Amino acid sequence: MVTRGFSFSAPLAMAAAVLAAALAFPGGHLAARAAAGWQTLETPHFSIHFRPEEEGAARELAKIAEEVHGRLVEFLRHVPRGKTEVVLKDSSDFGNGWVDPLLPFKNVTLEISYPLSSWASLGFTREDWLRYVFTHEYTHVLFFDTTSGLAEAGREVAGQVPLLSNPNLMAPAWYVEGLATYTESRFTRGGRVEDPVFDMYLRAAVLSGRLYTPDQLASTAYDLSGWPEGGLSVYLYGSSFVAYLAQKYGPEKLAQLNHASGDYQNLSFAATFRSVFQAGLEEEWQSWLEGLRRRYQEQKEKLEGQGLTQARRLTATGRWKGGLAVSPDGRQVAYTAGGRGWATGLRLLLLEEGKDRQVALSGVPEGSITWSPDGRFLYYTKPEYTGTDYLYRELYRYDLERGREERLTRGGRVLDAAWSPDGRRLALVTQKGGRTDLELVEPAEAGTAGRGAGCGGGSPGAAEEGGALGAGGGEPVQRRVLLEGGEELRFSSPAWSPDGRQLAVAAWRQGGRRDILLLRVEAGSQVEAAGGEGLATRRWLTDDAAVDLSPAWTPDGRYVLFSSGRSGIPNLYAVEVSTGRLFQVTNVLYGAFAPAPAPDGRSLVFLGYGPEGYDLYQMPLDPGQWLPVGPGKAGESEPPSAASPAGPPGGEVILGVHPYNPFPSLRPHWGLGYLQASERDMFLAFLTSGIDALQEQAYSLLLGYASGHGFIYDVTYQRLLGSGWRPLLTVSLEEWVPDALGAPAEVRRRQEVSLALPLQNSVFTAQVLTLGWTRRWVDADWRQAARAGWQLGAIRGRDRWLWYHRVNLDLLADDLTGVPERTAVLQWREDLTVAARREVGLRLLGGWSDEGGSSFALGGFRDDPGTEAYALRGFPKDSAKGERFWLGSLEYRPELWRVERGSTGPGLFTEAVQGILFVDAGAAWRGDGGAPPPLVGAGLEARVKTVAAYYLPLQLRLGVAWPVAGPGEGPRSYFDLVLVF
């Protein structure tokens, strides 16, 4: 990571922060593609932007959005001004939605892909995805838009100023996400407040006593060591606590709290909470937890009285796991795993020996895995980029004999895969445009399992662009749709019967049901949309309101096992295929998922949950021990349906569709004035910025006038050029006058153009090429410089060892000093997590410049690459200078104290204190001489890792260094506060 000194010297520090926030393209999400071809659908309260192929989803969302608007405006007691810009995308196979409160207009971005989990429910499975996610995100829109008092008056004057016009940005994350998760549960048939998996997370945390405090959940940016991770726990704790408050005090109190916290006079959320509820936050938090303890303890005693399932724990690492499959010989289990200090990867566990190893990086800890029938190959899905725009799930194959991974699709969007037992057919679940299809891939010559360079297990080989599965080694394949999902069905987790004639698949149905569908499949057949005709038929093995997932056949073909939360606790169940009789297979305290029977039919491997997370377990597969489940079992009742209010006046929802126009969102939505006066001069400036809804264009503008000197300006414009590799063009123009806002005494002008080309080619590797040109007015003359840079960042991992390395190359040619100069700097850095809370860091740099040009300088404790000065601790600044240099640094970073405490408001949160042992070495010299003996320094440093204002990462450094080799004056101490980017 890059660090810079933390200092502000100009009186416009706040305005600079506003401009930086307003200009920034979101870094945590994929921005929308270039605007070419985009359309906009207008409704009374929304402008919905979409590509032509998503028009059906856009029209569906239009009706949903107006309904949700009516419900939430009434519930939250806030009517927003103007329209909300909604961007509908299909650029990822990971369904998601987000709001960016730093944009100067109300906004929602939605990925329309349904996030169908193959092994666990996440609350939305009973509801239409668009309704579910939009309800959650529009709650954020209304919450951040709610202002009162001085904040409301400020918006009337200055408009929607990023950072400054949203006091509710200062609300803690557990409330921001808890409120939205509460409304998603209150106003849809889904929602995580009543979800069995979310309840499982809380039950495990409460019964084990491993609980977070409100200050620890004030931000999703805090690096918490506990489980569940902080990013998940703000939703988990927040939604349950908000539901508790709504039940105890009435839901109208939530709207009252929103309005009270939307005033600059009430920036202390804890104080505002007390004024609304007449009780302290900590007091109510403990009261809520005490109620959970009583409920969960009673539940535990009841389950223990029934007899808990006894199973052997196969792993003991906790955190995230999923996607498990037992090998054809029953000796190994393949699964995916990830978590703190881990490289998320595909792993193999030998059941008898207990040996566990990672074989490949997977990118996500949840995904489909299937073995080739001969046991040589593993097939699995993981995310990968197509270009830089699209993050899709692709099909991969791992050759266990050769230890080699091969990507089989590009843009294939394969969610799940399953080989038939005879190796003749591969069943795929594919996704596009928010819908899924069930497909079959058949080699032209059947029975080729394990043969051919690209055809292990009769597999598809390397894919063609667009997702067409080609044949490895030139072998032709037949790929066809077995069953179209359309709007009615969405599939996951196909599983072949032992005779290869039937498929069981988890299917979401319109109306919110999630059941197990059985398909009889004959070679050359296709299931009709209506079903029940021809050689391929279908029937529902389960048909109720419970969420049923992850089907798996017993080896004798008599039962289909699956996971379900129908009892309120996720457990494993079995349905007898011939009779439809239902049985409960496990009775656990927390949760059981993803059944995987051994081929010999004697044991069952499954994913179990505990206070530390997910682990693999093994138990006997004995139908005689299963409990029959009769009708009327708890959890089978139909979920309540949220009533839909009347539409807008006149019943019109869609007012029109037209080509996307960026200017309504790009226009200035805010403006700030700045006045600086002295005895001699007066300076007046106006600031604004803008960005369009697709985040394709952005600008910032400062116009000013200084008495006696004239006008100044500072203009920056950014534009994403085209699609695909998405180059970003930046143009900046400046002109300042003497003494204005701390400007130097001479008139200063600057013209700058830069182009950034993101060459990202993998989830684990990112490359960026930057080109730039600058011209400045210096000493009554124009001076110019050209710059090129290249950066490569990559993640590698093996078991619990995680590497991150980065290579930077900077090339500069300029005459800014009046002397033509060329400079090149190459930097390589490696960060290695060697054990829990222990890191090793290594950095190597080298540079070259023309003789007579400005030299490099070594010394001090802080880098300043802008002046080509680099830290060499133990020596004063400029201890070594020259046109050539090299520098190396080795650090050992054990964590000394895990603090993880802070204020409940936007104050300071301390994560940890690191101890650093370091050695620095380097040399600099003139181009006409040889390299001198290096300067070597060593020392100790303490780093306090903190986060300010919820999301501003800071490091406090306190150190002492000694010169080991070279001239020195004894130990040198230093103190520094740096902002970490």
Side-chain angles (χ1 to χ4, degrees):
M1 60 185 65
V2 178
T3 61
R4 295 185 179 177
F6 182 78
S7 63
F8 291 104
S9 58
L12 271 184
M14 179 60 73
V18 170
L19 286 171
L23 263 178
F25 283 84
H29 307 290
L30 287 171
R33 284 186 60 191
W38 282 75
Q39 301 287 307
T40 300
L41 186 154
E42 302 287 354
T43 77
H45 301 99
F46 303 95
S47 295
I48 302 175
H49 310 293
F50 62 95
R51 293 179 300 175
E53 52 266 38
E54 278 90 54
E55 183 170 356
R59 290 183 176 274
E60 177 187 356
L61 179 62
K63 300 175 183 178
I64 292 172
E66 289 296 335
E67 292 175 4
V68 170
H69 171 83
R71 294 194 192 106
L72 293 184
V73 163
E74 179 181 1
F75 176 69
L76 298 175
R77 300 182 182 180
H78 174 69
V79 179
R81 292 177 295 182
K83 289 189 175 185
T84 298
E85 307 285 342
V86 182
V87 178
L88 201 61
K89 305 194 306 178
D90 187 26
S91 60
S92 171
D93 284 334
F94 297 86
N96 201 357
W98 60 90
V99 169
D100 189 342
L102 298 183
L103 296 184
F105 49 80
K106 297 181 293 297
N107 65 94
V108 174
T109 302
L110 302 179
E111 288 285 359
I112 66 176
S113 298
Y114 282 64
L116 298 176
S117 172
S118 61
W119 56 270
S121 165
L122 292 176
F124 53 80
T125 50
R126 284 180 168 173
E127 183 55 275
D128 176 86
W129 166 246
L130 290 179
R131 183 182 300 277
Y132 170 88
V133 69
F134 189 81
T135 300
H136 183 104
E137 300 305 332
Y138 196 56
T139 300
H140 289 323
V141 170
L142 297 184
F143 176 70
F144 291 128
D145 192 64
T146 299
T147 55
S148 57
L150 292 176
E152 181 65 19
R155 284 181 59 180
E156 292 289 341
V157 175
Q160 187 68 33
V161 184
L163 292 178
L164 301 182
S165 296
N166 306 91
N168 275 331
L169 284 172
M170 299 297 102
W174 65 258
Y175 182 74
V176 174
E177 297 298 348
L179 176 66
T181 307
Y182 171 76
T183 59
E184 97 195 8
S185 307
R186 179 182 175 92
F187 294 108
T188 76
R189 291 171 299 186
R192 286 166 280 189
V193 170
E194 300 297 332
D195 180 64
V197 174
F198 251 49
D199 190 57
M200 173 190 76
Y201 291 149
L202 266 181
R203 181 168 60 256
V206 170
L207 291 179
S208 66
R210 302 179 181 185
L211 294 164
Y212 289 121
T213 55
D215 62 301
Q216 294 175 311
L217 300 178
S219 170
T220 56
Y222 298 162
D223 181 19
L224 301 178
S225 59
W227 175 262
E229 294 165 337
L232 170 62
S233 292
V234 295
Y235 297 83
L236 175 66
Y237 285 66
S239 60
S240 181
F241 184 54
V242 168
Y244 159 83
L245 294 174
Q247 182 178 17
K248 181 175 181 179
Y249 293 99
E252 65 278 0
K253 283 289 187 179
L254 301 178
Q256 185 179 341
L257 178 60
N258 296 349
H259 284 272
S261 64
D263 191 338
Y264 287 126
Q265 300 181 69
N266 302 320
L267 291 183
S268 170
F269 189 83
T272 306
F273 184 97
R274 179 177 290 277
S275 69
V276 171
F277 294 103
Q278 302 301 306
L281 173 58
E282 293 284 351
E283 174 187 342
E284 287 297 338
W285 190 273
Q286 292 304 319
S287 177
W288 159 66
L289 288 178
E290 186 55 39
L292 291 180
R293 288 189 187 96
R294 291 193 298 268
R295 177 162 72 90
Y296 290 142
Q297 186 61 38
E298 293 174 1
Q299 194 175 33
K300 176 183 178 183
E301 292 172 358
K302 179 180 177 180
L303 291 170
E304 289 176 339
Q306 297 170 350
L308 295 175
T309 296
Q310 300 299 308
R312 180 169 70 102
R313 190 175 180 180
L314 301 176
T315 62
T317 52
R319 297 194 172 262
W320 293 110
K321 291 181 181 64
L324 64 137
V326 180
S327 62
D329 62 7
R331 297 182 57 195
Q332 302 180 83
V333 178
Y335 69 100
T336 51
R340 182 181 177 86
W342 278 61
T344 303
L346 176 68
R347 304 184 68 85
L348 276 179
L349 172 66
L350 295 176
L351 289 173
E352 293 298 327
E353 297 89 338
K355 295 181 180 179
D356 193 354
R357 65 187 178 96
Q358 179 178 294
V359 297
L361 292 175
S362 69
V364 290
E366 184 272 324
S368 169
I369 301 176
T370 183
W371 291 80
S372 64
D374 60 4
R376 175 180 171 179
F377 298 95
L378 285 170
Y379 293 80
Y380 48 95
T381 62
K382 71 177 185 179
E384 191 55 274
Y385 281 98
T386 299
T388 58
D389 283 358
Y390 304 104
L391 183 62
Y392 292 151
R393 282 188 184 269
E394 306 293 354
L395 185 63
Y396 281 77
R397 179 180 67 180
Y398 189 84
D399 187 331
L400 293 170
E401 289 185 6
R402 298 182 179 180
R404 187 176 65 183
E405 182 182 60
E406 181 184 3
R407 179 175 176 176
L408 301 179
T409 63
R410 275 187 195 280
R413 311 193 68 174
V414 180
L415 304 184
D416 291 300
W419 271 110
S420 62
D422 58 7
R424 293 174 178 266
R425 288 173 288 185
L426 178 66
L428 303 177
V429 175
T430 58
Q431 177 167 255
K432 183 179 181 181
R435 58 174 285 172
T436 60
D437 292 329
L438 191 59
E439 300 187 27
L440 285 183
V441 176
E442 300 176 345
E445 296 182 8
T448 58
R451 291 192 300 149
C455 196
S459 75
E464 301 171 1
E465 190 69 31
L469 288 169
E475 299 178 30
V477 298
Q478 296 178 356
R479 180 178 178 182
R480 55 195 173 82
V481 175
L482 176 66
L483 182 59
E484 293 184 352
E487 299 299 325
E488 302 297 324
L489 294 172
R490 293 181 175 90
F491 307 112
S492 66
S493 309
W496 288 94
S497 62
D499 62 8
R501 301 181 63 185
Q502 299 182 86
L503 267 176
V505 61
W508 177 94
R509 290 194 268 174
Q510 193 96 36
R513 289 180 180 269
R514 188 74 179 272
D515 294 301
I516 306 300
L517 178 63
L518 182 65
L519 305 174
R520 179 174 291 277
V521 183
E522 298 292 347
S525 67
Q526 181 172 352
V527 177
E528 301 294 335
E533 297 181 2
L535 295 175
T537 59
R538 69 179 187 178
R539 68 183 175 95
W540 294 99
L541 284 179
T542 62
D543 189 4
D544 50 46
V547 175
D548 302 330
L549 301 163
S550 304
W553 293 77
T554 56
D556 59 7
R558 182 178 176 183
Y559 300 96
V560 171
L561 304 169
F562 61 95
S563 57
S564 176
R566 60 185 54 236
S567 68
I569 293 178
N571 269 294
L572 302 184
Y573 291 82
V575 58
E576 192 173 33
V577 176
S578 60
T579 66
R581 290 191 300 167
L582 191 63
F583 301 88
Q584 183 171 338
V585 177
T586 62
N587 185 45
V588 298
L589 177 58
Y590 299 121
F593 307 89
D600 61 7
R602 299 173 59 184
S603 65
L604 172 66
V605 178
F606 65 94
L607 198 62
Y609 186 81
E612 297 175 349
Y614 295 92
D615 275 301
L616 271 61
Y617 291 81
Q618 186 179 41
M619 62 178 285
L621 184 61
D622 183 4
Q625 300 297 316
W626 301 348
L627 299 177
V629 177
K633 185 76 173 176
E636 291 189 6
S637 59
E638 198 67 49
S641 177
S644 299
E652 294 292 336
V653 174
I654 299 177
L655 303 181
V657 179
H658 59 81
Y660 171 73
N661 179 3
F663 294 105
S665 53
L666 190 61
R667 67 170 178 83
H669 289 265
W670 65 276
L672 280 180
Y674 173 78
L675 177 65
Q676 176 180 297
S678 66
E679 295 181 359
R680 297 182 303 163
D681 299 304
M682 181 181 69
F683 175 78
L684 179 65
F686 172 80
L687 299 90
T688 190
S689 69
I691 187 170
D692 76 311
L694 296 186
Q695 299 174 30
E696 183 196 30
Q697 303 180 67
Y699 64 89
S700 68
L701 174 65
L702 183 149
L703 297 176
Y705 180 82
S707 60
H709 297 285
F711 290 96
I712 70 166
Y713 56 84
D714 187 341
V715 182
T716 298
Y717 173 76
Q718 290 184 322
R719 170 101 186 208
L720 286 172
L721 303 176
S723 58
W725 295 107
R726 305 181 60 76
L728 174 63
L729 174 68
T730 301
V731 179
S732 297
L733 303 174
E734 290 182 356
E735 181 162 343
W736 296 90
V737 297
D739 301 323
L741 296 103
E746 72 276 5
V747 174
R748 183 166 67 93
R749 301 175 185 173
R750 181 178 63 90
Q751 302 168 356
E752 185 170 299
V753 178
S754 66
L755 187 66
L757 300 169
L759 306 177
Q760 187 159 10
N761 54 15
S762 169
V763 169
F764 306 103
T765 304
Q767 296 186 63
V768 178
L769 174 66
T770 57
L771 303 171
W773 174 82
T774 300
R775 193 167 75 142
R776 295 179 182 177
W777 184 268
V778 179
D779 298 330
D781 192 10
W782 285 104
R783 305 285 172 78
Q784 60 186 3
R787 181 180 293 274
W790 173 74
Q791 183 179 105
L792 168 67
I795 296 174
R796 295 179 290 143
R798 193 75 178 179
D799 296 325
R800 295 187 68 96
W801 291 53
L802 183 65
W803 291 266
Y804 171 75
H805 60 256
R806 187 173 69 190
V807 180
N808 292 349
L809 176 62
D810 290 311
L811 304 173
L812 178 68
D814 71 49
D815 62 354
L816 294 180
T817 61
V819 179
E821 175 190 352
R822 291 169 297 173
T823 302
V825 177
L826 179 65
Q827 178 176 192
W828 173 73
R829 202 182 83 189
E830 188 97 15
D831 291 292
L832 170 63
T833 301
V834 296
R837 303 178 186 176
R838 288 180 175 85
E839 301 172 352
V840 172
L842 177 64
R843 185 176 75 151
L844 296 175
L845 299 90
W848 167 91
S849 69
D850 286 2
E851 291 188 30
S854 60
S855 60
F856 301 102
L858 305 182
F861 58 87
R862 180 195 294 179
D863 288 348
D864 187 2
T867 60
E868 307 299 349
Y870 298 93
L872 202 165
R873 290 163 288 189
F875 298 90
K877 291 190 66 174
D878 300 336
S879 290
K881 300 181 70 174
E883 284 75 47
R884 310 285 188 271
F885 90 100
W886 67 267
L887 178 65
S889 177
L890 177 65
E891 294 185 343
Y892 174 60
R893 311 170 189 146
E895 191 171 278
L896 303 179
W897 181 22
R898 194 75 199 173
V899 184
E900 295 185 3
R901 294 310 300 265
S903 62
T904 56
L908 196 66
F909 183 86
T910 302
E911 291 180 350
V913 178
Q914 273 186 325
I916 312 295
L917 300 175
F918 63 84
V919 176
D920 294 344
W925 64 97
R926 292 185 57 85
D928 54 2
L935 304 179
V936 180
L940 306 172
E941 183 177 304
R943 293 181 189 171
V944 183
K945 301 169 67 175
T946 63
V947 181
Y950 291 147
Y951 293 98
L952 193 64
L954 301 174
Q955 278 190 5
L956 176 65
R957 302 170 59 206
L958 179 63
V960 58
W962 291 265
V964 176
E969 300 177 357
R972 304 182 65 87
S973 61
Y974 57 91
F975 172 84
D976 197 18
L977 182 63
V978 294
L979 178 62
V980 182
F981 294 98

